[in-house]
Structures are given as structure tokens and as C-alpha cells.
């Protein structure tokens, strides 16, 4: 049973002890009446879980609960007093904390029924500032044109990707050969299975798993055996390499047959589609670069203080998210996590700063998205998708309504900033 004591305005007295740009320290005094109410709610909550011989769980009489579980009752009462006092203090002072308020001073030994209780807490708030120099930002616009040479280069990459390997007629290993080898690694005459391999494909033009192997097998043929010694992990290791196959890469011919294999009627159709894709990529890249230049300019001109606790929370979340995506990070030492966090700090602070700036500019320029904008975005998405998806799309838009409105606001702000920028 979840119980949270609510306070009335008369139950709480609050005053500001210190005030900084993003931090306020509050002194909060709760009345004896609120303290008593919290103790009573704590007693009821403890009763709901109390177990005593002769009584069903949750049915122990209140008086017996009070006599036998005083520590548990006080622990819950402390929680209720702090929650109720802080909530009402924030309401009275009209504060919207960006992190959970933290206690800075409290003597819980003095918390007793029929007595007032005073404590202090730190509240982190969003920075208050006037956005500066956000119009007339100088932007160097990146070209989104695609040249014939770039299209040809991309076509060449596609053909390279669709190349096949065939046995090399002369069988001699060259710099551009692909070779299948097996090799044994011996340490002091004993085979090391971890450093040995069977049927490993080697691209002679790329770095090798074992340093020096490409140089040793160059000019060798199928069936040849080569020996060499290399230092691995500070130890001398003897390698015995057997050449199993020698192959060469055969690129396809750019003709109608290749175009059909790629799903097009003619080579010109293929080139047209590649050009369209490259043009879209170039446009997206140019837009991304424009946004980056605007963001960099905004951050350079608006160096307001950020809430320290919020920065640390975001930093921790970013590190944990990175580790989960790339390997879990369960065994990474705290020192290494701290080092990663410091490397990410600048970007985390930049993202937070830009978020506050977008909000401030949207408010100042009256660009904040509204319900009508959300509806327009929903209608557009429904029109662009299959009718069968309507129910799923509507559910998504309703679940993510606040996020979608914030995204539309951000789009409006950047459209405004681009329209006011000096572009060359």
C-alpha cells in the first residue's frame, strides 16, 4: 500500500538561505501537525506489512505495531516528512527542480511527534538567461552538388563490393592477392592454439593478424610452406605457414547485365539512381553541417552556468548507454569510467546548453509548437503511410506527444535561425 503524506500551505514555512544561478538552498520547517500526520501515515504503512504471532499479516493492531516497530515507523515518518515538506516548499516558491532535491542539513534525532521539524535542502533549477547573438550567425554553406567523377567513384565502389574471388592462374602470391593459409604458432616448441589458425583468408593489401606474414608468403605458391619468427606479446613465436589457395579479385564489367543484376534496366538507370542517392546524402550532410555551425555559434555566445547535478546525471547516463551499446561494461574499472566521462563531458554540456537555448529562443520568438502543430504532423505522417498503419501511428503519436511537440519546436527554432543567418 503506497502512502504519501500531503501538506497544506499552513503546514510548511520555507525561506531561501542562498541563491545561485542554478542552485537554491531552502530552509524548510514543518509544523507539529504535519509531523503527527506523517507519523500516523507511517504507522498505517508499517501495519500493512507487519507480522506478529497470532495475527494475520497486515492485521496487527495499531497499538501493538507502535510498541513493537518504533524504528520502522520513524524511518517511514522521516521519508514522509521530507517528501511532504519539499513538495510543498517547491510549490510555495514556484520552483521546478531539474534534479531530485538533496538534503544538505537534517538532524533526524530531533524528529518527534508534537514537535516542529526543520531541515535544509538544495534545489537545482534551470538557468535563467537571455539568449544572445542568435541572429546573423555566419554560416559557410557546404555544397550539396554531386559531380560526374563522384558518381563514377561510387559506381566503382559498388562494383568493387560485388567483386568475386577466383583461383589465380599463375598461383603466385602478389600484393593484391587473396590467400588462404593455415599456420601453427610454436612457443618453445609447443603449439599455441590461440595463435594458430586453419583456413584463414588473407588480403595481401591489408594489415595482417600476424605481423610479417604477408612479407614472408609473398611470391610463394599453393602448397608452399614458410617458416618465420615474430615477437608476440613480448615473446618469440615460431610460425609455420602453409599456403592453401591463391585467389585474385575479379570486378564485374559495368554493362547492362550488371545493371540488371543490381535491379535496373540500363547502366544509365543505375547511374541516375546512384546520383539521386548521393545528392540526398550530400543534402543531408550539408544540412547537418549547417546545424552544427549554428550550434557552435550559439554555444560560443551563450556561456551560462549549467546545473551541476544535471550535468553529472546526463554524463553518467551517456557513459552507461555507451557501454551497453558497445560491450556491456560490467568489468570496466571505475577509474576508466571516470576517464570516459571526462572525455564526454564537453559534448554532454554542449547538448544541455543547446537544449536550454532552443527553449529560450522559442519562448522569446514565440516559436513554441502547439497542439495544432502536433495534429498537422500526425496528419502528414498518416497520409505518407499505408492505411493499415493508422492505428499504430496514432498510438505512437499519443504516447510520444510531448516529445513530438518538443521536436517540432526545435525544428521551428532552427528554421528561424537559418533564415536569420548570414550564409555564404
Amino acid at each position: 500500500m503506497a502512502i504519501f503524506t500531503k501538506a497544506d500551505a499552513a503546514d510548511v514555512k520555507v525561506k531561501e538561505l542562498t541563491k545561485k544561478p542554478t542552485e537554491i538552498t531552502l530552509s524548510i520547517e514543518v509544523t507539529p501537525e504535519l509531523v503527527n500526520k506523517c507519523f500516523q501515515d507511517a504507522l498505517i504503512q508499517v501495519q500493512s506489512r507487519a507480522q506478529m504471532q497470532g495475527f494475520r499479516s497486515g492485521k496487527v493492531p495499531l497499538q501493538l505495531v507502535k510498541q513493537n516497530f518504533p524504528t520502522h515507523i520513524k524511518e517511514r515518518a522521516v521519508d514522509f516528512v521530507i517528501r511532504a515538506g519539499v513538495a510543498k516548499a517547491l510549490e510555495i516558491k514556484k520552483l521546478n527542480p531539474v534534479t531530485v532535491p538533496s538534503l544538505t542539513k537534517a538532524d533526524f534525532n530531533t524528529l518527534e511527534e508534537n514537535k516542529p521539524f526543520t531541515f535544509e535542502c538544495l534545489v537545482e533549477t534551470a538557468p535563467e538567461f537571455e539568449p544572445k547573438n542568435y541572429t546573423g550567425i555566419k554560416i559557410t554553406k557546404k555544397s550539396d552538388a554531386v559531380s560526374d567523377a563522384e558518381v563514377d567513384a561510387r559506381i566503382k565502389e559498388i562494383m568493387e563490393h560485388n567483386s568475386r574471388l577466383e583461383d589465380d592462374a599463375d598461383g603466385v602470391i602478389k600484393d593484391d592477392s587473396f590467400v588462404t593459409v593455415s599456420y601453427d604458432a610454436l612457443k618453445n616448441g609447443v603449439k599455441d592454439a590461440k595463435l594458430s589458425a586453419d583456413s584463414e583468408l588473407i588480403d595481401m593489401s591489408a594489415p595482417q593478424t600476424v605481423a610479417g606474414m604477408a612479407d614472408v608468403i609473398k611470391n610463394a605458391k599453393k602448397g608452399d610452406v614458410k617458416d618465420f619468427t615474430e615477437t608476440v606479446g613480448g615473446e618469440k613465436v615460431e610460425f609455420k605457414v602453409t599456403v592453401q589457395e591463391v585467389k585474385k579479385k575479379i570486378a564485374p564489367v559495368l554493362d547492362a547485365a550488371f545493371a540488371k543484376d543490381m535491379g535496373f534496366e540500363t547502366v544509365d538507370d543505375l547511374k541516375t539512381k546512384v546520383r539521386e542517392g548521393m545528392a540526398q546524402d550530400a543534402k543531408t550532410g550539408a544540412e547537418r553541417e549547417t546545424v552544427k555551425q549554428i550550434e557552435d555559434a550559439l554555444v560560443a555566445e551563450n556561456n551560462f552556468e549549467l546545473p551541476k547535478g544535471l550535468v553529472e546525471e546526463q554524463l553518467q547516463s551517456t557513459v552507461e548507454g555507451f557501454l551497453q551499446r558497445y560491450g556491456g561494461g560490467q568489468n570496466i574499472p571505475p577509474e576508466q569510467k571516470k576517464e570516459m566521462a571526462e572525455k564526454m563531458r564537453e559534448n554532454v554540456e554542449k547538448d544541455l546548453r543547446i537544449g536550454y537555448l532552443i527553449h529560450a529562443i522559442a519562448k522569446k520568438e514565440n516559436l513554441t509548437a502547439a497542439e495544432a502543430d502536433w495534429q498537422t504532423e500526425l496528419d502528414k505522417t498518416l497520409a505518407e503511410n499505408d492505411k493499415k498503419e493508422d492505428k499504430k501511428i496514432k498510438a505512437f503519436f499519443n504516447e510520444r506527444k510531448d516529445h513530438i511537440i518538443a521536436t517540432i519546436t526545435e525544428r521551428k527554432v532552427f528554421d528561424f535561425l537559418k533564415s536569420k543567418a548570414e550564409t555564404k
Side-chain angles (χ1 to χ4, degrees):
M1 179 174 58
I3 297 175
F4 299 106
T5 307
K6 291 186 177 180
D8 296 324
D11 291 327
V12 176
K13 296 178 183 177
V14 57
K15 61 181 179 180
E16 293 180 7
L17 298 179
T18 62
K19 185 172 183 178
K20 297 179 181 178
T22 61
E23 293 180 357
I24 299 174
T25 303
L26 300 178
S27 173
I28 301 171
E29 180 185 323
V30 299
T31 62
E33 290 76 17
L34 179 58
V35 171
N36 291 346
K37 194 187 302 182
C38 289
F39 267 96
Q40 186 62 29
D41 287 345
L43 174 61
I44 293 171
Q45 186 175 81
V46 173
Q47 181 199 36
S48 70
R49 301 173 183 175
Q51 294 182 347
M52 287 184 67
Q53 191 171 357
F55 299 96
R56 285 185 298 154
S57 177
K59 298 298 181 180
V60 181
L62 288 176
Q63 192 57 38
L64 288 179
V65 173
K66 195 170 185 178
Q67 291 173 5
N68 289 277
F69 302 98
T71 303
H72 291 81
I73 293 169
K74 184 165 183 178
E75 286 175 355
R76 300 308 303 144
V78 165
D79 184 50
F80 291 159
V81 167
I82 299 302
R83 283 174 179 262
V86 170
K88 183 54 66 174
L90 295 177
E91 183 183 318
I92 292 170
K93 287 293 183 180
K94 295 182 173 59
L95 296 175
N96 293 308
V98 296
T99 57
V100 177
S102 56
L103 287 177
T104 55
K105 186 178 180 181
D107 183 359
F108 296 121
N109 291 323
T110 64
L111 180 63
E112 298 178 16
E113 291 183 84
N114 301 312
K115 291 185 178 180
F117 181 71
T118 302
F119 61 95
E120 296 175 9
C121 74
L122 179 70
V123 181
E124 281 200 318
T125 59
E128 295 180 3
F129 65 95
E130 194 70 20
K132 300 183 299 183
N133 301 331
Y134 56 85
T135 59
I137 293 174
K138 291 179 172 57
I139 297 173
T140 301
K141 189 168 179 60
K142 184 179 179 181
S143 173
D144 56 9
V146 180
S147 68
D148 291 342
E150 289 172 320
V151 173
D152 290 341
R154 182 62 62 85
I155 294 288
K156 187 176 180 181
E157 288 177 7
I158 294 171
M159 294 174 69
E160 187 78 13
H161 182 70
N162 285 274
S163 297
R164 66 184 187 279
L165 295 179
E166 290 185 356
D167 288 333
D168 194 334
D170 64 18
V172 178
I173 298 175
K174 297 177 280 292
D175 289 335
D176 59 352
S177 296
F178 285 79
V179 188
T180 304
V181 298
S182 62
Y183 54 88
D184 291 333
L186 305 174
K187 289 183 179 179
N188 298 319
V190 180
K191 180 178 177 179
D192 186 327
K194 291 183 179 179
L195 295 178
S196 301
D198 184 35
S199 298
E200 180 175 302
L201 181 64
I202 291 176
D203 177 358
M204 290 293 287
S205 64
Q208 305 305 313
T209 306
V210 179
M213 184 178 293
D215 294 332
V216 170
I217 65 174
K218 185 178 178 181
N219 297 320
K221 293 183 177 182
K222 180 177 179 179
D224 286 353
V225 178
K226 297 288 184 178
D227 297 315
F228 70 101
T229 301
E230 187 64 45
T231 301
V232 180
E235 295 183 81
K236 292 289 184 182
V237 180
E238 297 175 13
F239 289 92
K240 183 181 287 292
V241 188
T242 301
V243 178
Q244 296 174 320
E245 292 181 310
V246 181
K247 295 180 179 290
K248 60 182 178 180
K249 183 186 286 186
I250 305 297
V253 177
L254 183 59
D255 56 14
F258 177 73
K260 285 186 182 297
D261 287 342
M262 298 301 295
F264 300 93
E265 287 299 317
T266 66
V267 171
D268 286 341
D269 290 342
L270 170 60
K271 287 187 174 182
T272 298
K273 190 63 178 179
V274 169
R275 184 183 291 277
E276 289 174 355
M278 292 180 70
Q280 184 58 50
D281 289 345
K283 184 178 179 181
T284 301
E287 176 65 19
R288 192 180 297 118
E289 178 61 26
T290 295
V291 169
K292 182 180 182 301
Q293 290 181 52
I294 290 174
E295 290 179 344
D296 290 345
L298 287 174
V299 169
E301 294 292 335
N302 294 270
N303 190 28
F304 50 85
E305 189 172 329
L306 293 169
K308 295 182 181 66
L310 182 61
V311 170
E312 296 307 316
E313 279 187 10
Q314 288 292 105
L315 202 51
Q316 184 67 23
S317 175
T318 302
V319 170
E320 294 300 328
F322 177 85
L323 292 175
Q324 285 178 11
R325 286 193 301 273
Y326 301 102
Q330 294 90 341
N331 300 319
I332 293 181
E335 299 78 17
Q336 192 172 340
K337 285 187 178 182
K338 186 177 180 181
E339 186 178 333
M340 290 176 64
E342 288 310 308
K343 289 180 180 177
M344 296 177 177
R345 183 178 294 277
E346 184 177 349
N347 283 336
V348 167
E349 290 183 351
K350 179 182 177 181
D351 288 346
L352 283 172
R353 199 176 301 280
I354 289 168
Y356 282 124
L357 281 163
I358 288 171
H359 179 77
I361 295 169
K363 185 176 180 181
K364 188 171 181 179
E365 299 293 341
N366 195 27
L367 298 169
T368 304
E371 180 91 16
D373 298 295
W374 173 84
Q375 186 64 52
T376 300
E377 192 76 12
L378 172 58
D379 293 341
K380 179 184 174 185
T381 305
L382 290 171
E384 291 173 347
N385 287 274
D386 195 304
K387 286 286 184 185
K388 295 177 182 177
E389 299 296 317
D390 281 6
K391 187 175 180 180
K392 189 184 296 183
I393 291 170
K394 288 177 181 178
F396 175 81
F397 266 70
N398 281 302
E399 289 168 8
R400 304 275 290 168
K401 189 170 187 176
D402 290 344
H403 176 76
I404 291 169
I405 288 176
T407 301
I408 298 170
T409 296
E410 181 174 337
R411 190 193 308 156
K412 284 186 172 189
V413 169
F414 275 101
D415 286 345
F416 170 80
L417 295 174
K418 283 183 278 188
S419 72
K420 298 295 182 180
E422 295 178 13
T423 306
K424 66 175 181 179

